[in-house]
Amino acid sequence: MTVLSQGLRDGGIVAWRNLLNVRRNADWLFAAVVQPIMFVLLFAYVFGGALGGGQYREFLIAGIFVQTISFNSAFTVIGLCNDLQKGIIDRFRSLPMSRLAVLLGRTTSDLVVSSLALLIMSLCGLLVGWRIRGSFLDAVLAYLVLLLFGFAMSWIGALIGLSAPSVEIAQSAGLMWLFPLSFISSAFVGAGTMPGPLRAIAEWNPFTAVIQSVRDLFGNEAPPGMAPSPGWPADNAVLYALLSSVVILAVFVPLAVAKYRRVASK
């Protein structure tokens, strides 16, 4: 058996173990979908009337999708830190298993949770008036872009989880950096409505690229005044979103694996 095939097999076993824990602790899945639903209802019905009504609700859903899968990386942070603190990783070290399996299993199981969260959020979106107006293949590509980005964000969460000294700190560290990135983007308003420096950050923010690519693929147009700013990121949103995810993986997978080796060797 090759190193890669063993890593995939062992990672699948660890992922199954993590999913069983999610089933036994349903509050994790509950937390993964309740907050996004609250954001949908808040922005769609409290602010939506002033921001574009039904058209704004279609504009909003892509931003909620990206925020949901990004915030789910906090489960990677907490899960790895919790396993580390409880000595579970030490037990894994004593087994004849791939060293990549722990990280791959955690990120894969959280990808499954993100997929389920996307399904629930899609149903919620349909209830508030969101529709997929593009082709079937475009819609499939949109969901694949979302899941690839969510998988990439989980590897950032893996590095944070392995670096956090306690579960309590991990809970804060896993979300603290996500709030500014998600709000300084086109998730809730157009990037062009922001002042100079924030506008430039929002236009090149990977969150904006993924959000805009999903809107384009779903065929959801922006309300008046919220159209994407002209420029390379907006004109090549799908390409930029894919490149952003690949770059994040290329940077954080090796960092997380190196950190795991250092932590596991103590």
Side-chain angles (χ1 to χ4, degrees):
M1 181 177 292
T2 64
V3 174
L4 178 59
S5 61
Q6 183 181 0
L8 293 175
R9 186 201 65 178
D10 294 345
I13 295 171
V14 175
W16 180 250
R17 170 254 179 190
N18 295 335
L19 290 173
L20 289 177
N21 285 336
V22 171
R23 189 183 67 177
R24 297 185 186 113
N25 299 278
D27 53 321
W28 280 30
L29 186 59
F30 184 73
V33 297
V34 167
Q35 179 175 286
I37 290 174
M38 290 176 61
F39 271 108
V40 168
L41 297 178
L42 178 65
F43 279 88
Y45 293 109
V46 177
F47 304 122
L51 296 174
Q55 193 172 5
Y56 177 74
R57 288 195 287 274
E58 287 205 346
F59 173 86
L60 170 69
I61 295 301
I64 297 294
F65 282 170
V66 175
Q67 186 188 58
T68 299
I69 61 172
S70 301
F71 278 39
N72 283 352
S73 66
F75 295 119
T76 309
V77 177
I78 297 170
L80 274 176
C81 187
N82 190 49
D83 284 348
L84 190 62
Q85 295 296 314
K86 290 184 175 180
I88 302 297
I89 289 180
D90 290 334
R91 296 180 187 177
F92 286 149
R93 285 181 58 211
S94 66
L95 299 175
M97 60 186 292
S98 169
R99 299 305 180 204
L100 182 62
V102 173
L103 297 180
L104 185 60
R106 171 56 60 184
T107 53
T108 301
S109 62
D110 291 339
L111 182 64
V112 173
V113 173
S114 292
S115 300
L116 183 56
L118 278 178
L119 173 61
I120 295 173
M121 292 311 304
S122 297
L123 296 175
C124 179
L126 292 173
L127 291 176
V128 300
W130 168 73
R131 295 293 183 271
I132 296 175
R133 305 191 184 279
S135 67
F136 173 78
L137 291 179
D138 284 345
V140 171
L141 179 57
Y143 281 111
L144 291 177
V145 169
L146 285 167
L147 292 175
L148 177 61
F149 187 66
F151 186 65
M153 297 298 286
S154 290
W155 283 95
I156 300 178
L159 180 61
I160 296 173
L162 293 171
S163 303
S166 68
V167 176
E168 291 74 19
I169 294 177
Q171 289 176 331
S172 299
L175 290 173
M176 187 182 304
W177 62 282
L178 288 170
F179 276 100
L181 279 177
S182 61
F183 280 93
I184 306 176
S185 71
S186 64
F188 303 107
V189 296
T193 63
M194 300 180 186
L198 289 182
R199 175 177 177 177
I201 294 172
E203 289 173 349
W204 287 92
N205 186 346
F207 277 60
T208 296
V210 179
I211 292 165
Q212 188 57 49
S213 66
V214 170
R215 285 181 181 139
D216 291 344
L217 291 169
F218 283 147
N220 301 147
E221 296 183 0
M226 293 191 187
S229 304
W232 191 89
D235 296 340
N236 302 273
V238 176
L239 175 61
Y240 186 34
L242 294 174
L243 287 175
S244 297
S245 298
V246 170
V247 169
I248 291 172
L249 287 170
V251 172
F252 284 95
V253 169
L255 289 176
V257 171
K259 183 65 176 179
Y260 174 76
R261 285 175 178 167
R262 290 196 297 271
V263 169
S265 64
K266 292 181 180 179

